Structure formats: C-alpha cells, structure tokens
Amino acid sequence: MAQGAQDVMRNEFVTGLVNIHAVEKQAMQLMQRQIERNRDYPEVAARLRRHLDETNMQHERLDKLLSQFGAAPSTLKDLMMQASANMAALMHAASDDEILKNTFANAAFENFEAASYESLIAMAEAAGYQDALPPLRQSLQEERDMAEWVHDNVEMVTRRYLELK
C-alpha cells in the first residue's frame, strides 16, 4: 500500500478512535444519570451499573489504542458529548415517562456504539492494525450484549412503568 494511502487510513482510524472515545464519555454520563434515577427499576439500574463498568474498561482500551498511535483524545469533543448527555438526561427527567424515553434512547445509543466499533474494526483490518482488533472486538461484543439486553427488556420496563402508574 502506498504511503499516502496508509497515512489516510491511519488518520481516519485515529479520528474514529477519538470520536468513539467521546461517545463513550457521553455514555458514561447518560448511565450515571439514569442509575441515579432508576429506583423503581432495579433490574435496569443493575444492568446499567454493569455496563458502566464495561464502558470504563472500553474507555481504558481506547486510551491505550490512542496512545499506541501517538494520539490523544479530544478534550473538547469529550466535554461536548458529556454536556449533551447531561442535557438529554435533563430533558428525559422532565417527562412523566422518563424510563420509557431512556429505554428507547438506550436501544438506539447501544446500536450506534456497536456500529461505530464495527466501522473501526473494518478500518483496522483494512490498514493491517492486527493489535487493535482484540480490544475493539471486545468492546463491540459488550455493546451488542447491552443492545440485546435493552431490546429484550423493553416489554418488562413498559409493564413495570404501567404498574407504577
């Protein structure tokens, strides 16, 4: 592969790592806000706590990958994504059906994260970054597992919401 093409692939890959780093910061804020407010939904809070732990590990894996490429996260992107998470949490908290809105948003968000990791894996494979594949695949699996859990529990959350009404 020509040096110019390799440079483009590296730049795109690093940009993707920086972007998902910021998305994971956003996810941390979203989960923390939801955990604080999920007293009536202990199963949801427990799964969010577990995924928050996974997200912290994903964040560490991303920091290591960025370091391996001589790059750093974008403080501005991280802060902006955290702020947007807190705004979303505030908007949902003002709703009577906060848990439903959070559940729907979580379903979309987890699938967004999974797609981001799928894209990064494709980039890493195309560029020959074999060392990046295991941590990215681990994060992808964690996101897929969480997306599946949210999907599988929409009915439970909805029924619990109705019971509490």
Side-chain angles (χ1 to χ4, degrees):
M1 179 180 313
Q3 185 60 43
Q6 186 64 32
D7 290 345
V8 168
M9 292 179 93
R10 182 190 180 288
N11 289 339
E12 291 302 317
F13 183 69
V14 169
T15 296
L17 291 174
V18 169
N19 289 341
I20 193 64
H21 188 279
V23 168
E24 295 297 0
K25 284 284 199 177
Q26 181 182 26
M28 291 165 145
Q29 288 295 312
L30 285 169
M31 285 184 279
Q32 288 169 352
R33 299 297 79 79
Q34 289 180 29
I35 290 166
E36 293 166 1
R37 299 183 53 78
N38 270 329
R39 291 176 293 279
D40 293 328
Y41 301 88
E43 303 92 342
V44 174
R47 187 60 178 98
L48 286 170
R49 276 191 290 280
R50 179 174 149 205
H51 193 54
L52 181 57
D53 290 341
E54 292 171 340
T55 302
N56 283 318
M57 294 304 297
Q58 292 167 5
H59 200 259
E60 288 180 23
R61 290 192 290 268
L62 290 167
D63 283 338
K64 286 179 186 174
L65 284 170
L66 284 165
S67 178
Q68 288 172 5
F69 284 88
S74 167
T75 302
L76 180 60
K77 281 184 183 183
D78 287 357
L79 289 172
M80 294 299 291
M81 295 300 273
Q82 288 174 298
S84 72
N86 284 313
M87 288 301 295
L90 276 172
M91 290 173 54
H92 288 186
S95 302
D96 182 46
D97 60 349
E98 173 185 11
I99 187 67
L100 297 180
K101 284 182 173 49
N102 285 341
T103 300
F104 307 154
N106 289 346
F109 196 82
E110 296 303 329
N111 282 290
F112 176 87
E113 288 176 296
S116 297
Y117 282 110
E118 289 169 0
S119 180
L120 282 167
I121 289 166
M123 286 184 203
E125 289 172 341
Y129 301 145
Q130 296 302 312
D131 291 346
L133 293 172
L136 293 173
R137 286 182 177 139
Q138 184 175 356
S139 294
L140 170 60
Q141 190 59 55
E142 291 162 353
E143 297 303 345
R144 284 180 174 165
D145 290 348
M146 184 62 180
E148 182 179 4
W149 187 92
V150 172
H151 179 266
D152 290 348
N153 285 278
V154 169
E155 182 179 347
M156 178 273 296
V157 168
T158 302
R159 290 184 185 279
R160 177 79 176 133
Y161 167 77
L162 291 172
E163 287 171 12
L164 293 171
K165 285 290 168 187

